[in-house]
Amino acid sequence: MIDVSYSNIKNGLVKLICEELKTVLEKLPKEEQEETSAIRVGFITYNKVLHFFNVKSNLAQPQMMVVTDVGEVFVPLLDGFLVNYQESQSVIHNLLDQIPEMFADSNENETVFAPVIQAGMEALKAADCAGKLFIFHSSLPTAEAPGKLRNRDDKKLINTDKEKILFQPQTNVYDSLAKDCVAHGCCVTLFLFPSQYVDVASLGLVPQLTGGTLYKYNNFQMHMDSQQFLNDLRNDIEKKIGFDAIMRVRTSTGFRATDFFGGIFMNNTTDVEMAAIDCDKAVTVEFKHDDKLGEDSGALIQCAVLYTTIGGQRRLRIHNLSLNCSSQLADLYKSCETDALINFFAKSAFKAVLHQPLKVIREILVNQTAHMLACYRKNCASPSAASQFTCEKQ
């Protein structure tokens, strides 16, 4: 999905994207034993209306279909929209050459956003497959359509109790859209190129809940930022990915999983749903023990993920983990995983930003850290002066 509004055409971004796609589409991920990728590709350009392209392999020229009804988006074609890249390569290259010229004289500055995601999801739904949307977008969606946003960048709210409003989505359109995307295995990755306020809290919600990624290049300048953007795009398109995933974490008696953090969506307390999962995603799980854990039996964790491969196979991946239990705090501190702790605290704080002032979150983090260090000093460290904190070699 390529935003072809005035600024993107003029700064050369649309041309850069179209040129690069010719290269990266050669490197779509594929099953290990296969020579070509089973992934099909489709193209939409948009400003305040949507343009679908028919790139069927037997066409001499790509065909454009315009959808102006952005309130009730529909997919104007099925046959010829999602195609095998190898088979339709010449038509696709033709289209990518034409797009920058097609909109060269456009003065349209207004864009839509939610209908673009809706269109992609409806196309995947109609094709009865999971998939991923790559959206290249630049500005606040101010055109009259679902998901229209206003500028609410109010500096007066910073460091007040109302600051959390800035981190919450402006409208519930994006939340319900994200839920629909997850239900239909539609992952959204967003490349943002803003030159002014763009409301990431609203636009970024769908990538966040669907297991996608958000890349942001402020005041994008071709000579300075294009290499970083192209590297990000190549890595994202080429990496291994699983679609329409559902994860469940089971434990032995005495403790249970109570909270989950990451690019996930949860309809209930046990099923972790992800429209897609790839090698750069991590799900953090918080466990609480509500019964005595035995040193003899230990603690057992099973993590099971059901997902669809890029070739369309449904697979189950299972990890079983056996952990030792100890009544000695010194043993606990010896085997603590610092990276996991920092990951957990960072994600907890990120989640809390939506509900509490930053000042309060900062205090909670400081207190938790101080409590861990005080606990270590009291129970594990050798005696020393009260003003001195000891670090022991382990």
Side-chain angles (χ1 to χ4, degrees):
M1 279 79 173
I2 305 171
D3 171 357
V4 289
S5 56
Y6 175 80
S7 60
N8 278 8
I9 294 289
K10 285 294 172 255
N11 68 10
L13 185 60
V14 171
K15 189 172 174 54
L16 178 72
I17 292 167
C18 290
E19 282 300 315
E20 183 59 21
L21 285 176
K22 291 181 197 171
T23 308
V24 294
L25 288 173
E26 296 277 358
K27 297 173 182 172
L28 291 169
K30 56 180 183 278
E31 297 281 24
E32 282 175 18
Q33 67 276 20
E34 297 295 330
E35 285 185 24
T36 58
S37 175
I39 292 174
R40 288 176 289 161
V41 294
F43 302 86
I44 294 175
T45 56
Y46 66 95
N47 36 53
K48 66 178 183 182
V49 297
L50 277 66
H51 322 103
F52 288 76
F53 293 95
N54 185 345
V55 284
K56 202 171 178 181
S57 58
N58 60 1
L59 292 175
Q61 286 283 333
Q63 296 171 347
M64 180 167 85
M65 297 181 188
V66 181
V67 173
T68 55
D69 184 358
V70 288
E72 295 278 338
V73 175
F74 65 95
V75 182
L77 77 157
L78 290 180
D79 189 28
F81 178 63
L82 288 173
V83 298
N84 179 291
Y85 173 70
Q86 302 296 337
E87 290 172 10
S88 296
Q89 186 174 2
S90 61
V91 192
I92 290 171
H93 280 216
N94 205 331
L95 171 65
L96 294 171
D97 287 336
Q98 286 180 29
I99 286 174
E101 296 166 17
M102 218 181 283
F103 301 97
D105 299 325
S106 169
N107 291 319
E108 188 54 70
N109 264 321
E110 284 195 315
T111 58
V112 296
F113 186 71
V116 180
I117 298 174
Q118 186 79 37
M121 184 186 71
E122 293 295 341
L124 291 171
K125 206 161 117 185
D128 194 26
C129 66
K132 181 169 177 176
L133 311 183
F134 287 84
I135 304 180
F136 305 93
H137 187 83
S138 287
S139 57
L140 198 67
T142 53
E144 211 51 58
K148 175 184 176 180
L149 301 174
R150 59 182 170 78
N151 190 328
R152 54 165 185 166
D153 191 20
D154 190 350
K155 300 279 193 292
K156 293 196 290 291
L157 296 181
I158 293 173
N159 291 327
T160 70
D161 285 352
K162 289 186 175 176
E163 185 176 16
K164 61 190 176 194
I165 295 167
L166 300 176
F167 305 122
Q168 296 166 356
Q170 258 186 66
T171 162
N172 60 9
V173 167
Y174 293 104
D175 189 50
S176 59
L177 189 55
K179 289 176 186 173
D180 286 346
C181 283
V182 173
H184 295 103
C186 173
C187 169
V188 177
T189 279
L190 175 59
F191 291 85
L192 264 184
F193 306 88
S195 55
Q196 51 197 2
Y197 175 76
V198 75
D199 198 351
V200 174
S202 297
L203 301 188
L205 189 66
V206 183
Q208 182 191 331
L209 293 178
T210 60
T213 310
L214 189 150
Y215 301 91
K216 185 163 172 269
Y217 313 90
N218 285 341
N219 299 309
F220 183 84
Q221 291 179 41
M222 193 66 69
H223 62 285
M224 287 174 64
D225 306 312
S226 60
Q227 201 51 55
Q228 180 63 57
F229 158 59
L230 294 178
N231 288 344
D232 292 339
L233 177 61
R234 284 169 199 153
N235 290 337
D236 209 299
I237 283 183
E238 291 174 28
K239 65 189 174 188
K240 286 187 178 178
I241 188 167
F243 294 104
D244 205 8
I246 187 160
M247 180 178 95
R248 198 172 268 194
V249 177
R250 300 178 179 89
T251 58
S252 53
T253 310
F255 74 120
R256 60 200 165 87
T258 55
D259 212 348
F260 299 84
F261 306 89
I264 59 171
F265 175 74
M266 296 191 74
N267 245 335
N268 53 44
T269 54
T270 54
D271 294 330
V272 179
E273 296 179 58
M274 295 165 280
I277 184 165
D278 62 53
C279 54
D280 294 331
K281 299 294 180 294
V283 179
T284 302
V285 187
E286 180 179 16
F287 296 93
K288 287 188 178 169
H289 61 91
D290 37 23
D291 204 349
K292 194 170 182 182
L293 295 172
E295 288 192 43
D296 298 334
S297 54
L300 305 175
I301 299 171
Q302 182 185 77
C303 176
V305 182
L306 180 67
Y307 70 101
T308 302
T309 67
I310 47 181
Q313 283 185 344
R314 206 74 177 131
R315 287 187 189 165
L316 186 63
R317 173 170 288 201
I318 297 173
H319 287 283
N320 294 318
L321 186 63
S322 172
L323 300 171
N324 293 329
C325 294
S326 174
S327 55
Q328 301 301 313
L329 265 177
D331 292 341
L332 178 72
Y333 276 91
K334 272 179 191 171
S335 52
C336 260
E337 182 95 26
T338 313
D339 288 354
L341 277 174
I342 291 171
N343 184 296
F344 169 72
F345 285 127
K347 284 181 178 170
S348 304
F350 178 76
K351 203 171 181 180
V353 158
L354 299 171
H355 312 290
Q356 293 174 289
L358 287 179
K359 187 180 169 190
V360 173
I361 297 167
R362 198 174 291 118
E363 282 172 7
I364 291 169
L365 282 171
V366 169
N367 290 339
Q368 284 173 321
T369 309
H371 183 64
M372 283 191 290
L373 295 175
C375 234
Y376 178 85
R377 180 180 179 83
K378 183 181 174 185
N379 298 286
C380 309
S382 49
S384 59
S387 60
Q388 183 184 339
F389 177 72
T390 47
C391 285
E392 296 180 346
K393 267 194 173 176
Q394 317 222 318

